[in-house]
């Protein structure tokens, strides 16, 4: 889902990002100068209410399965419940289109560029067991209930 756009204006990459809950009307990308291969390519800056530029994220160069180069990173701020993963794709006007990425089930198994995902149960408690506790005992018997196991497939 596209949530913003970055334009190259007089050699500066500036634009905006907006969603239902986030409104960043002035953001900028500042090139990172580093000899470290793991350093980000850009820092993401936002103009705060005091009209100061503050860092809210970083972007690294990534390559799609089809060989297309794009930027990927996160927007983060103490006011957000968790970092928001984003990707920037080159646009015809010399800037970037900003897309938001939602974690998928693949991230539970190490996908989505290392992003982690916290699972919560119906009561809002953190689910520590992934798929929950097993209903099978050590000897293969059904545990956790006195009801006999039904041979018929319930699905």
């Amino acid at each position: 889902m596209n949530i913003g756009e970055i334009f190259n204006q007089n050699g500066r990459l500036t634009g905006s990002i907006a969603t239902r809950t986030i409104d960043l009307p002035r953001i900028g990308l500042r090139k990172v100068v580093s000899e470290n291969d793991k350093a980000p390519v850009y820092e993401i800056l936002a103009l705060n209410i005091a009209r100061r530029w503050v860092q809210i994220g970083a972007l690294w160069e990534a390559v799609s399965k089809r060989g297309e180069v794009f930027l990927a990173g996160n927007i983060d701020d103490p006011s957000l419940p968790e970092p928001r993963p984003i990707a920037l794709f080159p646009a015809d006007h010399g800037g970037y289109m900003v897309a938001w990425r939602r974690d998928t089930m693949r991230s539970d198994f190490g996908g989505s560029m290392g992003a982690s995902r916290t699972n919560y149960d119906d009561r809002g408690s953190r689910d520590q067991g992934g798929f929950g506790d097993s209903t099978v005992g050590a000897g293969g018997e059904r545990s956790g209930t006195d009801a006999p196991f039904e041979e018929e497939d319930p699905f």
Side-chain angles (χ1 to χ4, degrees), residues 106-118:
R106 279 192 335 209
S107 68
D108 287 342
F109 303 103
S112 190
M113 296 179 56
S116 64
R117 184 173 138 160
T118 302

Side-chain angles (χ1 to χ4, degrees), residues 66-124:
R66 292 181 275 178
E68 299 165 334
V69 176
F70 65 100
L71 301 173
N74 290 305
I75 295 174
D76 198 4
D77 184 78
S79 65
L80 298 173
E82 60 188 20
R84 301 290 184 214
I86 61 170
L88 279 70
F89 299 95
D92 293 337
H93 54 65
Y96 296 93
M97 297 302 296
V98 182
W100 172 62
R101 296 178 304 140
R102 180 183 300 272
D103 270 345
T104 63
M105 285 300 287
R106 279 192 335 209
S107 68
D108 287 342
F109 303 103
S112 190
M113 296 179 56
S116 64
R117 184 173 138 160
T118 302
N119 294 319
Y120 294 90
D121 65 17
D122 293 337
R123 297 177 308 276

Side-chain angles (χ1 to χ4, degrees), residues 27-107:
I27 64 166
L29 302 183
R30 179 171 55 198
K31 188 83 170 153
V32 173
V33 179
S34 175
E35 293 181 20
N36 186 337
D37 293 340
K38 297 184 184 212
V41 177
Y42 290 102
E43 292 176 337
I44 306 169
L45 306 172
L47 195 60
N48 71 9
I49 58 173
R51 305 207 38 82
R52 291 190 305 219
W53 290 99
V54 294
Q55 184 178 353
I56 61 164
L59 297 165
W60 286 262
E61 193 171 270
V63 180
S64 73
K65 291 178 184 176
R66 292 181 275 178
E68 299 165 334
V69 176
F70 65 100
L71 301 173
N74 290 305
I75 295 174
D76 198 4
D77 184 78
S79 65
L80 298 173
E82 60 188 20
R84 301 290 184 214
I86 61 170
L88 279 70
F89 299 95
D92 293 337
H93 54 65
Y96 296 93
M97 297 302 296
V98 182
W100 172 62
R101 296 178 304 140
R102 180 183 300 272
D103 270 345
T104 63
M105 285 300 287
R106 279 192 335 209
S107 68

Side-chain angles (χ1 to χ4, degrees), residues 121-153:
D121 65 17
D122 293 337
R123 297 177 308 276
S125 298
R126 190 176 180 146
D127 177 11
Q128 298 291 338
F131 293 111
D133 294 332
S134 177
T135 57
V136 178
E141 74 282 357
R142 186 166 186 212
S143 65
T145 181
D146 292 335
F149 184 74
E150 299 288 331
E151 291 294 323
E152 189 175 312
D153 188 359

